[in-house]
Amino acid sequence: MFQQNMRVYVSLLVVFLCPAFAPQTARANSSTDSAAPLVAKKPTLPVARRISPLIDELIQSGMQDYAKVASPVCSDSEFVRRVYLDLTGRIPTVAQTRAFLNDTSADKRAVLVDQLLNSPEYARHLSQRLDVMLMERLRKKYINVTDWEEFLRESVAENKPLDQLVREIMSADGADPKQQAAARFFLARDGDVNELTRDISRIFLGADLTCAQCHDHPEVADWKQDHYYGISAFLVRSFVFTDKKKKQTVFAEKAEGEVKFESVFEVRDKTSKGPETTLPVVFNGPKVAEPAFKKGEEYKVKPAKDVRPVPKYSRRAQLGDALTSSNNKRFARTMANRLWALVMGRGIVHPLDADHADNPPSHPKLLDLLTEELIAGNYDLKWYLRELVLSKTYQRSSTNELFASKSAQELADAQFTHAILKPLTPEQFSRSVLEATGQAELYRNSLKQKLSEATLRKNLVGYERQFVSLFGGLPGEPVEGFETTADQSLYLSNNGAIQGILSPRSGNTADRVLKIPADQPALIAEELYLSVLNRRPEATETKEVAELLSGKTGKERSEMVSDLIWALMMSSEFRFNH
Amino acid sequence: MRCDYACGSHETLSRRSFLGGTAAGALSMLGFNGMIHADSAKKLASQQKQVVVFWLSGGVSQLETWDPKPGAETGGPFLSIPTSAPGVQISELLPYTAQQMHHLALVRGINTKENNHGKGAYIMQTGRKQQPGFAYPYLGSTFSHHLAPPNSPLPGYISVGAGGSSAESTFLGPRHAPLVLADGRAPNNLDRHDALSEERDLLRRTLRSKISQRFEQKRKTAHTEVYNESFDQAAALMSRSDIFDFSKFSDKDLERYGKHDFGRHCLMARQLVEKGVTFVKVGHTNYDTHSENFNFHIEQLGEFDRPFATFISDLYDRGLLEHTLIICMCEFGRTPRINSRIGRDHWGTAWSIALGGAGIKGGAVSGKTNETGTKVIDREVNGGHLFHTYYQAVGLDSTEEFYPNGQPIAKADPKTEPIKEILA
């Protein structure tokens, strides 16, 4: 239904929108999006200002020759593919591609961006990206993964402010059925204080403090053991508790317990001052003081066998506030940077969890601006992403004449002179394979009236899981860089699940291509290229297709079409968001 | 009980890093067009050479293996035993290995001055101290680069039960990154799909690479290079899928090697060496014994000893040992001081490794530590010396240089030299 309505919706927006007040109008209009049961509610956040031009200014000022060496703004073909992948997690369908390329209105890019941001697919895609960021594909433990995914999806769909989402996750103990799903963050990690400390600092504070567990960080002068145990101190009293009667597992808390730490090096040197303790504290922020209770009066519910204790004062309840408080700019800065990396392909601070003095941001002023604006904009995800993707920086082509010459080394990714090639995530890759082959279209057609983002995904999720297991990295570990494996290329080359969707079936890509008369090779090549690579073929490519199909009929012709689809889909052009 | 020191997790190399990838960063930095392949004469002479590394991750104790100090306050409870090499004694925890000692040499004077898992592993696998801004290739990639026959369909570097990251090959490119056999299994989907003929398969691949090439003009290609390479590797693996058929080990062999992962991995390594794979890494883990050091070593070495010894003896029996260099090492040793938890901590100051086979003088010992094992008192060596030794053992000149991007990079630390007394 979403897809059927899209053209109508585009034209509606074109009629109503005017660039000068585009953001406001988009917000107001989002309620008219009839795309469906899962559409975002009308955002209620205040309208924040445009920062795309400032982004471009600050990027440009980061490099003397920037204007001279930067890539031009990308073509419509590059843009439509890129923005669909970044905002909805898949390539556009052949119809969506054609519609965009044929649209002659001047503001069509902004219109498309608003439309995608308000689509149900945006909520799915962005919540999946947040899921990977927060959970790193950890498997189920205590909490249903589907419930958690739905919690995230709904949060993104209603454009819940990101700081609020994080506070909800940090305060969920799983006891309240309404917030049970959000407790997955703690429970999937089995409440392990060290694992949680590591992940909270890495994910929300841009600091991989792992090495500061046993001693001050050996390589990063900024990171001390105190930082590590400051975070741990919020969590040290919490533990996983299973209520046997209710058959429910929650993240419970005691009223006492301190972190104790000493450097393993000091012990060896015999210079140890003995173990230290610290109050909860987020980096160099204020220490969270706590009320004193008379002995015996610390609990609302006292600990006993098979009873979940409830302390009067919860240390852990302070964690969400302390993390997202205005005292702690690290949170906003890390989120601004992570979301930037999500669409730009690289952090302004990079790696994303190495934000410290010896690893300065490529564009410090820009990162400051983004941090301030994210706070001022009330952590409005849609607004922030919209500003990023409407910047020229985002819209630069991935091609650059200099790459072919020796001076290519001048074009460091960190200068954002060109669009960085982003490997498709496993979810993007699987969904895009299904779009390119027309398999997703087959499901859309079969669902007809019942078609919604949720029903479609249900049909496609089997493919997604295969890709996630092969391309998704180790559970509990952040994805770093681009890794290809033998398992992956063998799967793509030989597995039946890929081979099976290449053959013609009524309405899929191979079928559409085969229905075009053999004496119209230009149309055949166009249908192939628009379906798989979302662009029209070059003359040489048309010629190549024509030659390959020339004289072939029946099974031979059909096989050649499938092989062409495979070859296009396995090319680097498809594998990367460019 | 696992000793859970978080710092070590940095070195947890991912199961899934197969054929290149994060090498991309280094590739783009250096550009590997400038690489010189001129050492081909040497390459020819040494083409038959192979290397197997046994990697005991976590840091096995030298006192409970190659350099026992029975009776010393730091010595622990175990005795030392005589071996098949006259005058050489090792820990009683390695009775089977002791019988193969005439094939092995010991280096007892190692001082790498590094007590961090990640950094220690880096030194031992690259021969250098880690330094910002430059990444040396790991030895698996290095020897794959030097010794693997050009255009061989076999992967040059296979890691069995030892992890491995695509970043290991750095400027040598994805061709020499480890192929990791996840959980000791052969890769899935090795056979061509029934619906495809060989011709169709070839045509598809040719087309695929043509289309990719067009895209890569005027684009930054570090990532795409790696992606393309992975398809070539897949095709190569398919053509030699026989090396991964691990179904035919005899019951007798399974019994001899032991029915546990490490035993099976050693058998797999034997087959890979037999089938001509240039470099194989086999892992055995959990030696980070900050507590219960002695119980742990009884358990771990109890599993390690027999398959390791059987591997060496099998290679000898099959005539493979004379051209296969064996290295048994880890990131560092363990402290002579026994801590309050009956554990030993990290110790890069005075420790040992064992090596054998090609180019190595069986039964030789280099280096000596003091009575309590706290200090090297004779023939102190570091990662650089070891790398010169590995190179020379397989007949390569370790004083040459790599030229990534035209910049000379010494193959082994020029301030060090080979440990001649253990070279045959």
Side-chain angles (χ1 to χ4, degrees):
Chain A
M1 206 186 303
F2 164 64
Q3 207 229 332
Q4 290 159 354
N5 286 336
M6 195 199 87
R7 291 181 93 145
V8 181
Y9 181 54
V10 170
S11 43
L12 269 176
L13 281 171
V14 171
V15 172
F16 287 120
L17 287 186
C18 156
F21 52 96
Q24 294 91 328
T25 320
R27 275 152 215 279
N29 271 3
S30 62
S31 59
T32 65
D33 182 354
S34 55
L38 303 173
V39 77
K41 281 183 211 158
K42 182 179 165 186
T44 52
L45 295 163
V47 175
R49 66 195 179 103
R50 299 292 318 268
I51 57 166
S52 315
L54 274 173
I55 290 172
D56 295 326
E57 257 176 64
L58 290 170
I59 285 289
Q60 178 144 4
S61 65
M63 184 182 178
Q64 215 177 3
D65 288 342
Y66 187 87
K68 225 190 286 170
V69 301
S71 299
V73 166
C74 67
S75 69
D76 280 347
S77 294
E78 282 176 274
F79 182 78
V80 72
R81 184 177 191 271
R82 187 184 302 169
V83 80
Y84 261 92
L85 278 166
D86 282 329
L87 298 183
T88 71
R90 63 170 177 88
I91 59 168
T93 65
V94 67
Q96 287 163 339
T97 307
R98 278 209 171 92
F100 186 76
L101 297 184
N102 293 338
D103 187 344
T104 52
S105 55
D107 60 347
K108 66 177 180 177
R109 293 192 182 190
V111 171
L112 178 63
V113 166
D114 284 328
Q115 182 204 343
L116 297 182
L117 281 171
N118 286 305
S119 72
E121 287 183 296
Y122 160 80
R124 174 189 40 80
H125 170 64
L126 198 75
S127 63
Q128 284 182 327
R129 303 310 341 126
L130 291 179
D131 179 27
V132 174
M133 178 182 101
L134 295 166
M135 299 311 302
E136 290 164 348
R137 304 193 191 280
L138 283 172
R139 300 202 171 89
K140 181 194 162 172
K141 194 143 201 183
Y142 309 122
I143 300 291
N144 263 332
V145 179
T146 340
D147 294 347
W148 158 261
E149 286 170 350
E150 187 53 19
F151 160 73
L152 285 180
R153 198 197 56 75
E154 275 172 15
S155 300
V156 175
E158 69 185 52
N159 205 25
K160 185 183 284 172
L162 187 57
D163 60 332
Q164 184 191 328
L165 176 65
V166 171
R167 280 195 301 273
E168 285 176 16
I169 292 168
M170 291 293 110
S171 66
D173 61 11
D176 178 353
K178 274 185 232 149
Q179 299 165 9
Q180 204 170 13
R184 172 161 152 78
F185 186 86
F186 293 125
L187 293 179
R189 291 171 171 91
D190 225 354
D192 183 282
V193 177
N194 287 325
E195 197 173 335
L196 286 167
T197 302
R198 183 195 67 191
D199 289 352
I200 286 168
S201 48
R202 234 178 38 198
I203 295 165
F204 301 121
L205 301 169
D208 184 352
L209 297 180
T210 310
C211 284
Q213 183 185 348
C214 307
H215 38 73
D216 289 346
H217 199 291
E219 282 150 54
V220 181
D222 300 358
W223 296 347
K224 307 293 184 197
Q225 244 187 319
D226 302 54
H227 292 136
Y228 185 93
Y229 286 97
I231 310 282
S232 297
F234 285 101
L235 299 155
V236 69
R237 296 175 182 174
S238 299
F239 62 100
V240 173
F241 173 84
T242 301
D243 189 326
K244 285 177 190 154
K245 273 184 227 151
K246 289 190 194 164
K247 288 189 181 152
Q248 188 189 41
T249 297
V250 300
F251 201 37
E253 192 167 349
K254 296 172 293 184
E256 66 285 331
E258 305 294 336
V259 290
K260 284 195 179 139
F261 61 101
E262 61 185 330
S263 170
V264 293
F265 293 154
E266 285 173 2
V267 173
R268 206 166 290 139
D269 297 339
K270 295 179 181 166
T271 55
S272 175
K273 297 174 292 248
E276 295 176 55
T277 62
T278 177
L279 280 170
V281 52
V282 176
F283 265 77
N284 303 323
K287 289 192 175 164
V288 181
E290 54 191 56
F293 294 98
K294 274 190 199 156
K295 207 167 165 42
E297 290 177 15
E298 305 96 334
Y299 284 97
K300 281 187 219 163
V301 179
K302 286 194 179 173
K305 192 175 181 283
D306 294 335
V307 171
R308 174 197 181 204
V310 181
K312 282 187 185 150
Y313 171 81
S314 160
R315 264 200 187 182
R316 193 169 56 78
Q318 320 304 316
L319 177 58
D321 285 339
L323 272 180
T324 61
S325 121
S326 53
N327 285 321
N328 174 36
K329 289 269 166 69
R330 282 198 85 102
F331 173 74
R333 183 174 154 106
T334 304
M335 292 301 118
N337 192 48
R338 281 187 176 277
L339 292 165
W340 172 278
L342 188 70
V343 294
M344 302 291 186
R346 182 197 163 87
I348 302 171
V349 167
H350 202 84
L352 306 181
D353 58 3
D355 188 6
H356 57 83
D358 296 333
N359 181 39
S362 57
H363 299 75
K365 282 185 195 156
L366 174 61
L367 188 54
D368 288 346
L369 170 90
L370 297 175
T371 304
E372 294 303 332
E373 290 291 332
L374 195 60
I375 296 170
N378 209 2
Y379 291 90
D380 179 341
L381 278 175
K382 279 192 194 179
W383 164 78
Y384 184 70
L385 289 172
R386 182 181 196 277
E387 292 306 311
L388 296 191
V389 301
L390 289 182
S391 70
K392 272 197 193 124
T393 305
Y394 173 82
Q395 293 184 44
R396 296 210 177 274
S397 173
S398 56
T399 60
N400 193 305
E401 299 290 336
L402 288 174
F403 283 132
S405 72
K406 279 186 177 168
S407 46
Q409 278 173 355
E410 288 166 20
L411 297 185
D413 284 349
Q415 292 300 338
F416 301 101
T417 47
H418 55 277
I420 296 170
L421 299 191
K422 293 172 286 193
L424 301 189
T425 65
E427 291 88 351
Q428 284 172 331
F429 198 7
S430 73
R431 196 64 177 256
S432 298
V433 161
L434 296 169
E435 293 297 348
T437 54
Q439 183 72 10
E441 198 59 26
L442 293 185
Y443 283 116
R444 281 196 194 93
N445 292 338
S446 73
L447 284 164
K448 284 188 189 123
Q449 292 309 311
K450 280 185 252 164
L451 177 64
S452 69
E453 166 56 30
T455 53
L456 181 59
R457 175 157 191 252
K458 218 169 144 187
N459 280 280
L460 303 179
V461 78
Y463 292 93
E464 188 178 298
R465 289 204 181 113
Q466 278 189 308
F467 274 81
V468 167
S469 76
L470 269 168
F471 296 80
L474 280 183
E477 282 184 26
V479 176
E480 281 167 29
F482 173 57
E483 288 196 348
T484 58
T485 70
D487 280 3
Q488 292 171 2
S489 28
L490 289 170
Y491 172 78
L492 296 171
S493 304
N494 299 332
N495 193 275
I498 300 291
Q499 194 54 35
I501 57 176
L502 294 166
S503 316
R505 282 172 65 192
S506 176
N508 77 356
T509 305
D511 179 60
R512 289 198 317 273
V513 170
L514 285 166
K515 279 192 178 132
I516 302 172
D519 61 357
Q520 306 218 31
L523 285 184
I524 292 173
E526 182 177 289
E527 188 70 23
L528 274 169
Y529 273 76
L530 282 177
S531 302
V532 184
L533 299 178
N534 310 111
R535 65 170 172 89
R536 297 196 166 94
E538 306 278 336
T540 48
E541 290 166 334
T542 302
K543 199 167 150 240
E544 186 179 69
V545 171
E547 279 169 6
L548 286 165
L549 285 171
S550 154
K552 293 205 168 60
T553 54
K555 186 170 172 243
E556 222 191 351
R557 183 178 176 80
S558 164
E559 283 180 354
M560 181 52 75
V561 166
S562 295
D563 291 348
L564 266 165
I565 294 172
W566 184 87
L568 287 165
M569 206 163 69
M570 293 302 135
S571 69
S572 322
E573 182 165 354
F574 189 86
R575 181 67 181 88
F576 294 90
N577 183 357
H578 50 89
Chain B
M1 191 179 67
R2 182 173 286 267
C3 301
D4 190 19
Y5 272 66
C7 238
S9 65
H10 273 207
E11 190 51 24
T12 316
L13 297 170
S14 73
R15 149 188 80 75
R16 60 184 292 266
S17 332
F18 290 72
L19 299 175
T22 31
L27 279 179
S28 61
M29 187 177 75
L30 295 160
F32 65 134
N33 301 331
M35 196 100 93
I36 286 184
H37 297 280
D39 48 346
S40 50
K42 294 246 165 48
K43 208 165 185 171
L44 275 177
S46 56
Q47 223 160 53
Q48 298 305 309
K49 296 291 197 308
Q50 290 164 280
V51 183
V52 179
V53 164
F54 288 85
W55 181 257
L56 308 188
S57 72
V60 74
S61 168
Q62 72 284 4
L63 295 154
E64 276 68 58
T65 50
W66 313 120
D67 193 11
K69 304 280 177 188
E73 51 165 326
T74 52
F78 305 119
L79 300 175
S80 60
I81 50 171
T83 67
S84 61
V88 181
Q89 299 224 330
I90 60 171
S91 169
E92 63 171 330
L93 295 181
L94 298 172
Y96 288 94
T97 303
Q99 293 170 33
Q100 301 299 323
M101 211 58 214
H102 57 292
H103 294 308
L104 296 172
L106 296 177
V107 181
R108 283 174 171 163
I110 303 176
N111 182 1
T112 41
K113 300 179 185 155
E114 183 53 66
N115 294 334
N116 171 296
H117 286 284
K119 290 180 179 176
Y122 189 85
I123 290 176
M124 291 305 288
Q125 295 186 85
T126 66
R128 309 297 179 110
K129 264 191 169 328
Q130 219 160 6
Q131 49 182 267
F134 191 81
Y136 288 97
Y138 279 42
L139 78 168
S141 308
T142 305
F143 287 110
S144 166
H145 166 77
H146 286 306
L147 302 175
N151 307 321
S152 163
L154 290 171
Y157 172 11
I158 297 186
S159 168
V160 184
S165 153
S166 49
E168 288 185 17
S169 61
T170 69
F171 58 77
L172 298 176
R175 169 87 182 82
H176 301 292
L179 171 72
V180 179
L181 298 186
D183 311 320
R185 277 187 297 103
N188 292 325
N189 297 305
L190 257 182
D191 297 326
R192 202 175 54 237
H193 193 273
D194 295 341
L196 287 175
S197 64
E198 207 175 329
E199 296 75 50
R200 268 183 80 190
D201 193 36
L202 184 65
L203 174 83
R204 288 200 324 182
R205 288 173 191 282
T206 314
L207 257 175
R208 193 208 75 80
S209 91
K210 238 171 144 180
I211 296 163
S212 294
Q213 273 170 24
R214 285 198 290 259
F215 172 74
E216 284 148 23
Q217 289 164 4
K218 298 190 216 163
R219 280 188 174 85
K220 195 164 179 175
T221 52
H223 277 355
T224 56
E225 201 106 39
V226 171
Y227 183 57
N228 293 334
E229 178 79 24
S230 78
F231 278 92
D232 296 344
Q233 288 273 3
L237 292 179
M238 286 164 65
S239 75
R240 280 303 308 272
S241 56
D242 61 306
I243 66 168
F244 301 113
D245 182 359
F246 301 120
S247 63
K248 299 196 177 68
F249 298 129
S250 69
D251 286 346
K252 198 179 152 208
D253 270 348
L254 291 167
E255 196 63 51
R256 289 167 69 232
Y257 276 80
K259 289 181 173 171
H260 43 72
D261 285 351
F262 181 65
R264 194 174 158 70
H265 293 166
C266 288
L267 263 172
M268 289 165 69
R270 189 187 75 186
Q271 172 165 323
L272 294 173
V273 172
E274 278 177 324
K275 301 266 186 185
V277 174
T278 300
F279 187 100
V280 181
K281 179 155 98 168
V282 191
H284 197 221
T285 190
N286 213 9
Y287 287 93
D288 196 12
T289 52
H290 289 280
S291 55
E292 296 286 334
N293 176 72
F294 304 105
N295 287 337
F296 258 110
H297 276 81
I298 291 176
E299 210 171 284
Q300 292 300 105
L301 292 172
E303 188 172 275
F304 169 80
D305 181 38
R306 197 167 143 195
F308 175 68
T310 310
F311 180 85
I312 290 170
S313 124
D314 277 6
L315 252 56
Y316 176 75
D317 290 348
R318 291 159 197 233
L320 297 166
L321 196 60
E322 63 187 85
H323 64 257
T324 306
L325 171 68
I326 314 278
I327 310 169
C328 176
M329 63 167 166
C330 51
E331 57 264 48
F332 40 54
R334 307 213 70 83
T335 47
R337 173 182 170 271
I338 300 162
N339 68 26
S340 57
R341 290 160 291 175
I342 325 294
R344 295 190 193 266
D345 302 311
H346 303 171
W347 189 247
T349 312
W351 61 291
S352 321
I353 67 162
L355 50 176
I360 296 296
K361 200 188 283 174
V365 176
S366 159
K368 199 172 171 188
T369 51
N370 64 6
E371 277 176 18
T372 47
T374 56
K375 238 178 98 174
V376 177
I377 52 173
D378 180 37
R379 190 61 163 130
E380 180 172 296
V381 297
N382 62 35
H385 298 91
L386 293 171
F387 260 65
H388 279 288
T389 311
Y390 307 152
Y391 268 103
Q392 302 225 350
V394 296
L396 292 165
D397 184 350
S398 58
T399 63
E400 288 181 341
E401 283 152 339
F402 289 115
Y403 289 90
N405 211 29
Q407 291 295 314
I409 307 289
K411 287 179 175 169
D413 184 351
K415 295 191 292 295
T416 56
E417 69 289 328
I419 308 168
K420 290 221 173 68
E421 61 269 30
I422 65 162
L423 285 170

